[in-house]
Amino acid sequence: MDQEVSLNVSGKVSPAFLRFSPDGDHIYFMTAGSSRNSSDVYKMTRFGGGTELVATDIASEFSFSKDGIKMAFIRRDLRTNAHTLVIRDLSDGKERELARKELPDGFSLISAPVISPGGGKVHVLTAPQKTPSSEIVSISLSDLKEKRIGT
């Protein structure tokens, strides 16, 4: 049976992009971007209640591994405009930088990197500034090798 539940979010947090956890027990959402063009990610149970800060300074949408333990996203360094692909372990909060692109190359900030169903790779769109199209690349979590999939 479907039932509406009111999700009360404090006034200091303005939700933007949202996603359910793979098990459906939590709602994760980004805050509306600030002047530094990055957002924070919070989670709350699907039944409402308080929010918990999960990750900060995120420039892209985010996605989860199939088991819900890892989260993938892009960070942007505004000083250099470099983009970094990051995996965050939600069980212990540790982050791992998988790849970094410097101008004129970069990752797409309007889509989420995707963790493969088996958890061994992350697929992400690149957004080179000198070409009219993006490319899909796959990055292995075991050796961090990048493989071009196509445009």
Side-chain angles (χ1 to χ4, degrees):
M1 173 172 65
D2 288 341
Q3 179 181 348
E4 278 191 35
V5 175
S6 176
L7 299 177
N8 297 319
V9 180
S10 71
K12 67 179 180 173
V13 176
S14 179
F17 172 80
L18 77 112
R19 187 158 292 199
F20 276 94
S21 60
D23 64 9
D25 287 344
H26 292 89
I27 298 171
Y28 287 77
F29 60 90
M30 293 178 73
T31 56
S34 68
S35 60
R36 64 181 208 271
N37 205 19
S38 65
S39 301
D40 298 330
V41 174
Y42 290 83
K43 82 173 183 178
M44 63 191 314
T45 71
R46 65 186 170 107
F47 301 111
T51 59
E52 177 185 334
L53 181 63
V54 174
T56 60
D57 198 24
I58 296 175
S60 71
E61 295 180 358
F62 57 91
S63 69
F64 299 104
S65 57
K66 187 177 177 180
D67 60 10
I69 294 174
K70 293 188 177 11
M71 183 171 95
F73 55 87
I74 307 293
R75 281 214 171 100
R76 180 176 166 198
D77 183 336
L78 289 178
R79 290 175 289 120
T80 63
N81 205 26
H83 297 170
T84 304
L85 174 61
V86 177
I87 289 281
R88 182 178 182 86
D89 187 315
L90 296 174
S91 64
D92 63 13
K94 291 182 182 174
E95 292 184 354
R96 182 177 175 202
E97 293 185 0
L98 303 180
R100 183 176 172 92
K101 301 256 183 220
E102 310 246 349
L103 282 176
D105 295 323
F107 292 112
S108 173
L109 301 179
I110 59 171
S111 65
V114 179
I115 302 170
S116 65
K121 296 179 181 177
V122 175
H123 305 285
V124 63
L125 287 176
T126 61
Q129 293 184 356
K130 294 185 178 187
T131 62
S133 61
S134 297
E135 291 184 333
I136 302 170
V137 296
S138 176
I139 298 171
S140 167
L141 294 179
S142 62
D143 60 13
L144 302 183
K145 289 190 179 178
E146 186 175 309
K147 178 181 177 185
R148 181 179 176 265
I149 306 264
T151 56

